[in-house]
Amino acid sequence: MLKKLFNILICLCLLASAEVKAQDTYRVALMVPLYLEQVDAQYLAAAPSNKTLLTKPFSFLHFYEGLMIAADSVVNTRNMKLELRVFDVDNDVRKAWKAVTDPWLATADMIVGPFYIKPFTVVKEFASKHNIPLVNPITQRSEIVDNQPNVIKVKPALDSQMAFLESVIKRYYHANNVFIIRENEDTDPAIIDSINEVVKRSIDAYSYVNNRHIVKTIKTHQKRWKYLRVEFEQSDYLTDNISLNVNILKQRINDSTAFRNQIVNINYKRDSLKHVKNFASSMRNNLFIVYGNDKVFANEIVNKVTKLTVNYPLTVILLPEWSKFDRLFIDNLMKMHAIYFDDNYLDCQNIRTESFICKFRNTYETEPNDYAYQGFDIGWYFLNALDVYGKDMVENLPNYDIPLLQTRFNFRKNGENSGYENVYWNVYQLKGYNKVVLKANYEK
């Protein structure tokens, strides 16, 4: 493993000294944190260990390696002439200033990085002065594209989830009761307001349920509640905050009953889930939209909502990025039919993914991590786009869409003079032990 950093040092020297014809050749700079000053003889001589692999020089190494595989693939498949230079730029602003003083950089056709915001600001000013497309691979901050027409932001902002949320509800859950559960009173009020507006636009005013289905459901609950020794009146059944007369339903067995679709807001810290049973429907699906960033909150919600699935059919949309919470009980998530929004979703059964994993293993003798896939996707997309459009690449990004490993890029402008921001989110649902991608309109 340690020899990889030594190989990078050699590669950087070769790239710097390579004689490449300027004509029809694209120059691309990659600014990635490698912390090469920490790679001394003692470091290289140390025995590999988990502790060693967690040191700074290994932090973003897989991103570099994934992008190098993409560069090699583009050069070979498109016969692209590429001069790629790698700059070791981490959170030290001095490294950014050193990079922008290299005369070669002023002739670059594209810059990828830096990863940290302070060095990125330095390079952003340089790229703007020389009109060089600048790709930010890591931040979700939308403000970096404001009044920066040459900046391209790969990571989608959280507010761009709303378009996908609206699409999912309209397509699959427009006939549901909806519960919007926020972590506490401090949970981003603007986001909660946006979710409420999306739900109001997306759900039907009423849902119509066949009386035969209602009677069948009541009978099922009668048997269960009798076993639990719960008092129950044959002629009276409470659901959706209304009382149903079973005898009347039987008399009109071929008709349907209208249920009003309600939007119920819940502050979990204050109210827990005690109000859910007052409004939840046992006759049709209930949609829970949960918004929170705390792992303790996530565990509590999963455990408590799972108990509700015994009596209420439901689906839970987990926002903003619950895919980053590990060790949530998978069986409970499946019972909740959990839906995730993820900026990176990997289909390991896809032939392109399998091919990449094999090539990465053969080249670097290790398993790729998330940064490796991100590096490949960014390299593959932008190098192909650069070869197709040349100096017109940036303005053509909204129309350029090619298969990637973890996601797809859908670039949009926030304003007339802004740069481009990716607004695409992968949306998938747990069905069995599989992740099933849901169809969602990804246009803004």
Side-chain angles (χ1 to χ4, degrees), residues 244-260:
L244 298 176
N245 188 298
V246 179
N247 293 324
I248 293 177
L249 291 171
K250 288 180 178 179
Q251 294 171 13
R252 302 173 181 175
I253 198 70
N254 294 318
D255 291 339
S256 296
T257 298
F259 293 90
R260 183 185 176 193

Side-chain angles (χ1 to χ4, degrees), residues 27-59:
R27 294 182 170 185
V28 175
L30 170 61
M31 296 186 179
V32 60
L34 295 173
Y35 303 95
L36 293 178
E37 72 280 358
Q38 299 183 21
V39 185
D40 52 20
Q42 183 179 357
Y43 187 97
L44 291 172
S49 66
N50 289 334
K51 185 177 180 180
T52 304
L53 298 178
L54 293 175
T55 56
K56 286 183 177 180
F58 279 93
S59 300

Side-chain angles (χ1 to χ4, degrees), residues 24-300:
D24 297 327
T25 298
Y26 292 104
R27 294 182 170 185
V28 175
L30 170 61
M31 296 186 179
V32 60
L34 295 173
Y35 303 95
L36 293 178
E37 72 280 358
Q38 299 183 21
V39 185
D40 52 20
Q42 183 179 357
Y43 187 97
L44 291 172
S49 66
N50 289 334
K51 185 177 180 180
T52 304
L53 298 178
L54 293 175
T55 56
K56 286 183 177 180
F58 279 93
S59 300
F60 297 100
L61 184 59
H62 278 217
F63 185 95
Y64 160 83
E65 293 170 337
L67 191 141
M68 293 303 289
I69 288 178
D72 180 68
S73 299
V74 174
V75 167
N76 289 327
T77 58
R78 300 190 64 89
N79 197 28
M80 182 184 189
K81 295 180 181 179
L82 175 65
E83 184 178 354
L84 175 64
R85 288 199 181 185
V86 182
F87 294 83
D88 177 18
V89 180
D90 49 51
N91 205 21
D92 187 344
V93 176
R94 292 173 297 179
K95 288 187 175 183
W97 282 113
K98 181 179 178 181
V100 299
T101 59
D102 188 329
W104 180 91
L105 195 62
T107 67
D109 297 291
M110 181 172 68
I111 302 172
V112 178
F115 284 43
Y116 295 106
I117 196 65
K118 290 182 179 178
F120 183 83
T121 302
V122 172
V123 178
K124 180 177 66 174
E125 294 176 359
F126 174 87
S128 177
K129 178 181 177 181
H130 295 278
N131 195 28
I132 302 171
L134 178 62
V135 179
N136 187 298
I138 213 78
T139 188
Q140 287 186 325
R141 301 181 186 181
S142 294
E143 59 266 25
I144 69 164
V145 302
D146 292 344
N147 299 310
Q148 297 291 334
N150 63 312
V151 173
I152 305 158
K153 187 173 82 70
V154 169
K155 287 284 185 181
L158 295 180
D159 59 6
S160 64
Q161 291 181 338
M162 294 302 104
F164 289 81
L165 178 64
E166 184 166 352
S167 177
V168 168
I169 296 175
K170 285 181 176 179
R171 184 183 289 268
Y172 301 103
Y173 302 106
H174 57 90
N176 286 197
N177 263 343
V178 180
F179 296 86
I180 301 172
I181 305 171
R182 66 184 187 273
E183 187 175 339
N184 53 51
E185 60 275 4
D186 296 325
T187 304
D188 194 335
I191 289 289
I192 300 302
D193 288 344
S194 294
I195 293 174
N196 273 280
E197 289 301 317
V198 164
V199 173
K200 288 176 184 177
R201 293 196 301 265
S202 304
I203 63 172
D204 303 330
Y206 292 90
S207 294
Y208 296 87
V209 182
N210 183 273
N211 288 347
R212 193 179 301 276
H213 170 77
I214 296 175
V215 171
K216 183 179 178 180
T217 300
I218 292 174
K219 286 181 178 179
T220 300
H221 284 188
Q222 276 183 298
K223 292 177 181 178
R224 184 184 302 141
W225 290 350
K226 184 178 181 180
Y227 172 76
L228 295 174
R229 298 180 181 179
V230 176
E231 293 184 9
F232 181 80
E233 291 292 336
Q234 172 90 24
S235 60
D236 191 31
Y237 183 87
L238 186 66
T239 182
D240 294 79
N241 205 31
I242 60 174
S243 180
L244 298 176
N245 188 298
V246 179
N247 293 324
I248 293 177
L249 291 171
K250 288 180 178 179
Q251 294 171 13
R252 302 173 181 175
I253 198 70
N254 294 318
D255 291 339
S256 296
T257 298
F259 293 90
R260 183 185 176 193
N261 292 321
Q262 303 176 86
I263 303 171
V264 181
N265 277 270
I266 295 175
N267 179 336
Y268 179 78
K269 183 178 180 180
R270 184 188 64 201
D271 301 323
S272 187
L273 299 181
K274 63 185 179 182
H275 296 308
V276 168
K277 292 182 180 179
N278 295 334
F279 298 95
S281 177
S282 55
M283 300 301 152
R284 58 205 164 87
N285 196 60
N286 301 273
L287 180 65
F288 287 64
I289 302 173
V290 183
Y291 198 96
N293 292 299
D294 182 73
K295 190 173 181 179
V296 174
F297 165 71
N299 277 294
E300 288 186 12

